[in-house]
Amino acid sequence: MVVLATKVYVQGDARERALDALRSLVGNEIEDLDVEYTVGVRRDEFAVVTIEGDDEVVARNVLREEFGEVTPDFESGETYVGTLEAWDDEGFVLDAGEEIRIPASELGLGQGTPVQIVERFGLVQHMPLTFVYSDPDAESHRLADAERDRLYDWTRGAGRVNVNSATRGEVRATVNRAGHARDIVTVERLGLLEQSIVCKDETDPPGLLAAIGDYLPAEIRCVIP
């Protein structure tokens, strides 16, 4: 069994669509391997894939690489993935199977309060973030260098609109329905239900947000270069 570092927190029909999307994503990654698999959700909303077959070890490793894994054990200095659950003046709170607090001084994302950083980088709740675990008695956890680089890259390229509570397919369909298919480059998957719409250079991210906001019952933020 692999506990993926992505959550299924929507309900009703949206939950079924999310699980269908997860089955498709998992299938795309391991369909050529000799395994059978089922997907599910833990009580803490993390997605779970149960795998059996001759290639089950390889399949687990493939999914760990693609989604990140929630593990019960941590080693100081190693890198893990958690989902962004909350933020306040003190820093970020990630869920990595246990609460991981990253103080403001260890975010490494420039000046400003954590709330201002969330707005500047267009972060949305539940999006996966990579962090370096530290022995709590010795020093604080911090965002991984690769994560900092990724977020800084967002502010240097074309604008973005980040969304939660929707699959990649749902976001693409919403952009099309709003008549803005030609205004974007692609929709990048951040997590199962967290997406990043990459705008064309001439597209105004706040304008795109306003256009799709009525269609998506979601948290939506812009990244403006």
Side-chain angles (χ1 to χ4, degrees):
M1 183 177 72
V2 182
V3 182
L4 306 182
T6 192
K7 287 190 170 185
V8 182
Y9 45 85
V10 292
Q11 301 299 324
D13 291 344
R15 188 180 186 86
E16 291 306 312
R17 291 194 298 270
L19 289 172
D20 286 343
L22 178 60
R23 292 185 190 97
S24 178
L25 289 171
V26 170
N28 288 342
E29 294 296 327
I30 63 175
E31 62 184 353
D32 293 332
L33 300 176
D34 184 11
V35 293
E36 294 183 356
Y37 65 91
T38 58
V39 303
V41 184
R42 286 202 323 190
R43 293 179 64 181
D44 58 4
E45 299 181 331
F46 280 109
V48 176
V49 184
T50 302
I51 304 171
E52 294 182 350
D54 291 343
D55 293 333
E56 61 185 63
V57 174
V58 176
R60 291 192 194 103
N61 289 336
V62 168
L63 295 181
R64 289 185 184 109
E65 181 68 23
E66 178 64 21
F67 294 95
E69 181 185 22
V70 173
T71 173
D73 302 310
F74 297 91
E75 293 185 19
S76 186
E78 293 298 314
T79 300
Y80 301 91
V81 181
T83 58
L84 178 62
E85 296 306 305
W87 51 88
D88 54 29
D89 289 341
E90 302 301 319
F92 287 1
V93 177
L94 308 185
D95 187 352
E98 67 177 58
E99 182 178 294
I100 300 292
R101 177 168 279 278
I102 300 179
S105 60
E106 297 295 342
L107 295 176
L109 294 173
Q111 296 183 342
T113 67
V115 174
Q116 291 170 329
I117 287 171
V118 164
E119 294 295 334
R120 184 189 315 144
F121 290 93
L123 308 185
V124 292
Q125 189 181 28
H126 304 305
M127 67 175 285
L129 294 174
T130 306
F131 68 95
V132 177
Y133 184 87
S134 296
D135 183 345
D137 295 330
E139 55 187 348
S140 300
H141 311 304
R142 64 178 177 85
L143 281 186
D145 291 342
E147 188 64 73
R148 294 168 177 171
D149 290 344
R150 177 178 74 142
L151 296 179
Y152 270 121
D153 283 345
W154 285 2
T155 66
R156 299 186 185 109
R160 289 173 179 260
V161 177
N162 295 338
V163 180
N164 68 10
S165 303
T167 66
R168 184 170 183 261
E170 288 170 336
V171 171
R172 290 181 65 90
T174 298
V175 171
N176 292 342
R177 189 183 315 135
H180 286 274
R182 295 183 178 180
D183 297 324
I184 72 168
V185 176
T186 189
V187 178
E188 291 182 2
R189 181 174 58 81
L190 305 178
L192 176 64
L193 292 170
E194 301 80 39
Q195 321 301 330
S196 184
I197 305 169
V198 182
C199 301
K200 290 185 176 178
D201 289 340
E202 61 273 19
T203 301
D204 175 50
L208 179 60
L209 184 155
I212 67 174
D214 289 342
Y215 297 99
L216 285 172
E219 183 179 18
I220 310 176
R221 286 193 171 85
C222 293
V223 183
I224 303 174

